[in-house]
Amino acid sequence: MRVSRSFLPVLKESPSDAQVVSHKLMLRAGLIRQTAAGIYAWLPIGFRVLKKIEQIVREEQDRAGAQEMLMPTIQSADLWRESGRYDAYGPEMLRIRDRHDREMLYGPTNEEMLTAIVRDDMKSYRDLPRTLYHIQWKFRDEVRPRFGVMRGREFLMKDAYSFDLDEAGARNSYYTQLLAYLRTFQRMGIQAVPMKAASGPIGGDLSHEFIVLAPTGESEVFYDAAFEEVDWQQSALNYGDEIGLAQLFEQVSSTYSATDETHDEQRWATIPEDRRRTGRGIEVGHIFYFGALYSKSMGLKVSGPDGQMIEPMMGSYGVGVSRLVAAIIEASHDDAGIIWPESVAPWKVGLVTMRADDAPTTDAAEQLYGQLQAAGVETLYDDREERGGVKLGSMDLIGLPWQLVIGPRGIANGMVELKRRSTGEREELSVESALARLTS
Ligand code: ATP
Ligand code: MG
């Protein structure tokens, strides 16, 4: 993409209305703009990151055997009366009336809707187990929307729902999502730690939150460094391996992690000091097992092998897709701006010309841009007639993993500069080797 044809509004000044660094950087680098309290438009850069995160979530859900669908944002109040949550949910629910005075709502979650959808079609034990998910906007009328998209009112969530015949099956579905979450967050280049959680308004008895460590997190967290040591992508654990998944759950449960509310000083003291990790945390995912709660209240039943009727055991599994954009920035930035992990970066390379009025420089840049594009390397090409220093400053702010800088002095000798954003390391190398490096 050429910067000269892009809508990439970069602010020089730090916006005064933003309190946390991710919100400041998202405004300054032109990722989002607020359109109403807690409601944001995603500008081109922000939207690219959002899509990357969404795609990682999707691929890991698919790999774990969940099936994607799409449910609407607007729901009918009657659906929520069936489960009894219409009155229970309170003022966080945005309630709407249509022209016929029918009560509707903007969905804060989809347990009721999906239970109602499947109850007409899941008839027999052969129709289970199933896990379905969608990635859709939610609305929760938060009392205090704050920190930008971190706690918005409208936000993008992946929510998955599992249906099983019995508790053992449901636990296996839960463990499957647990592994999918560990893989998902690690692919995004962040450390997310599972914490045993109270199951709250959804009810039920098994629940974990996934917490990303960042200085501005909302809650205090404590965990054992063992969580940082496993490569979940490489792990040979197979989704069909029920025993392996149960062992994974035991392993996760026996490794220490806690919030300030659940922290146990005695157990903490038994962990070697160099393995203790503390900090503040941001919740980026939350998984629940709640048994037959909704099957019972909403009349979902299937016939078992011997004809008796069974109420499926369910779980639900949320990922805060839009919150993750902010959480990743909280976990990965410096004074100059954002440092995107490569897997979620809006582009891999920022190509910068130091002098737009120097023909050999712009010719080389045009040629490199074409070659990078042909090789499928996502490139943002700053071809503006701006001072080099200004362009480098916005590249640092936007935070692409690599900067490829072309200037008159270097290019006269066929040399360009390659900078790695995360370390600041720079290297002068020939045009050919730079290209080889970025396309390998
Ligand atoms: P929180 O405790 O942060 O209010 P929650 O427990 O109410 O979140 P869940 O119902 O577990 O949220 O929703 C699943 C995920 O959706 C959360 O883990 C979080 O990442 C994300 N999420 C929830 N509320 C918001 C919000 N207001 N803005 C952005 N993301 C949100
Ligand atoms: Mg939660």
Side-chain angles (χ1 to χ4, degrees):
M1 187 74 220
R2 285 171 192 272
V3 175
S4 63
R5 311 254 172 88
S6 301
F7 183 60
L8 305 176
V10 162
L11 308 177
K12 286 198 196 73
E13 304 295 320
S14 192
S16 56
D17 51 334
Q19 296 155 29
V20 297
V21 68
S22 59
H23 190 196
K24 285 194 174 99
L25 289 172
M26 288 183 77
L27 292 170
R28 278 192 61 204
L31 273 67
I32 52 166
R33 288 293 180 261
Q34 184 175 312
T35 60
I39 304 179
Y40 292 85
W42 292 81
L43 305 191
I45 300 187
F47 187 57
R48 285 180 76 94
V49 177
L50 189 68
K51 289 280 156 193
K52 293 257 164 107
I53 292 174
E54 181 185 314
Q55 187 57 21
I56 292 175
V57 171
R58 173 177 292 118
E59 286 172 17
E60 292 300 330
Q61 287 293 305
D62 292 349
R63 185 177 166 200
Q67 205 173 18
E68 189 173 12
M69 61 183 292
L70 184 60
M71 289 178 269
T73 54
I74 305 292
Q75 309 190 18
S76 102
D78 287 341
L79 210 47
W80 286 67
R81 290 205 172 90
E82 287 189 45
S83 72
R85 280 211 293 183
Y86 190 63
D87 296 322
Y89 214 91
E92 270 201 10
M93 180 183 277
L94 180 64
R95 297 160 206 258
I96 306 165
R97 274 174 199 275
D98 70 9
R99 67 199 297 162
H100 303 294
D101 218 26
R102 278 185 294 245
E103 291 171 280
M104 316 288 287
L105 57 102
Y106 194 127
T109 180
N110 286 65
E111 281 82 6
E112 284 80 357
M113 185 180 275
L114 186 57
T115 307
I117 291 169
V118 302
R119 80 181 155 197
D120 296 332
D121 297 286
M122 280 183 182
K123 295 286 185 211
S124 135
Y125 67 96
R126 286 186 213 88
D127 298 326
L128 301 181
R130 294 288 186 277
T131 298
L132 293 158
Y133 75 97
H134 73 161
I135 301 172
Q136 177 62 292
W137 294 91
K138 305 291 186 289
F139 198 96
R140 295 183 187 174
D141 204 350
E142 302 271 354
V143 207
R144 281 210 300 150
R146 57 191 181 142
F147 305 157
V149 298
M150 190 84 86
R151 183 167 297 285
R153 294 199 297 167
E154 190 187 44
F155 59 96
L156 189 60
M157 194 203 285
K158 181 284 296 183
D159 37 327
Y161 303 88
S162 63
F163 301 86
D164 280 271
L165 279 176
D166 53 23
E167 184 173 338
R171 292 188 84 94
N172 182 251
S173 297
Y174 185 94
Y175 304 158
T176 300
Q177 287 285 326
L178 181 74
L179 176 58
Y181 275 46
L182 292 166
R183 287 182 166 156
T184 299
F185 297 125
Q186 204 167 49
R187 254 183 86 179
M188 294 174 192
I190 50 174
Q191 181 64 53
V193 177
M195 310 253 172
K196 203 166 171 16
S199 39
I202 296 195
D205 59 3
L206 183 56
S207 174
H208 282 84
E209 291 177 350
F210 286 77
I211 308 285
V212 170
L213 222 57
T216 47
E218 287 187 321
S219 55
E220 185 91 36
V221 297
F222 306 82
Y223 69 87
D224 186 326
F227 281 115
E228 296 170 356
E229 288 156 7
V230 191
D231 184 340
W232 299 108
Q233 283 297 319
Q234 294 306 316
S235 142
L237 186 48
N238 190 306
Y239 283 113
D241 176 2
E242 291 195 18
I243 294 168
L245 286 170
Q247 282 168 346
L248 166 74
F249 176 72
E250 290 309 321
Q251 181 197 335
V252 164
S253 306
S254 61
T255 308
Y256 192 82
S257 67
T259 63
D260 42 4
E261 283 155 32
T262 56
H263 189 49
D264 174 350
E265 283 294 346
Q266 255 172 354
R267 265 192 76 192
W268 189 235
T270 65
I271 300 165
E273 210 157 335
D274 63 333
R275 305 181 60 82
R276 294 184 207 160
R277 297 283 184 274
T278 59
R280 303 197 64 81
I282 299 166
E283 180 193 321
V284 291
H286 199 163
I287 61 179
F288 303 89
Y289 165 63
F290 44 76
L293 197 67
Y294 295 95
S295 310
K296 235 187 231 345
S297 61
M298 303 197 60
L300 169 64
K301 284 194 196 79
V302 300
S303 60
D306 48 10
Q308 86 286 18
M309 296 307 282
I310 301 167
E311 286 165 341
M313 299 297 199
M314 293 174 58
S316 72
Y317 314 91
V319 171
V321 175
S322 50
R323 177 179 288 182
L324 271 162
V325 180
I328 293 170
I329 296 173
E330 287 292 336
S332 184
H333 67 270
D334 62 15
D335 290 343
I338 304 168
I339 303 174
W340 291 115
E342 195 152 327
S343 59
V344 300
W347 293 272
K348 178 177 174 178
V349 183
L351 177 61
V352 176
T353 51
M354 292 305 285
R355 285 270 300 275
D357 57 356
D358 179 64
T361 299
T362 51
D363 288 350
E366 289 291 333
Q367 196 181 355
L368 261 170
Y369 180 53
Q371 287 166 320
L372 286 167
Q373 278 197 309
V377 179
E378 293 176 319
T379 305
L380 179 65
Y381 172 25
D382 197 343
D383 58 342
R384 289 174 303 163
E385 291 179 22
E386 263 286 1
R387 280 190 300 115
V390 170
K391 295 192 201 175
L392 293 178
S394 15
M395 275 302 171
D396 277 349
L397 176 62
I398 292 170
L400 308 183
W402 297 98
Q403 292 171 17
L404 186 54
V405 183
I406 309 182
R409 212 167 315 144
I411 205 65
N413 302 311
M415 302 297 272
V416 293
E417 190 181 83
L418 190 60
K419 173 175 148 184
R420 185 193 273 273
R421 175 67 180 88
S422 59
T423 59
E425 257 173 281
R426 296 154 198 277
E427 202 181 329
E428 233 203 332
L429 66 191
S430 69
V431 171
E432 298 72 39
S433 353
L435 194 61
R437 188 82 68 79
L438 294 170
T439 52
S440 73

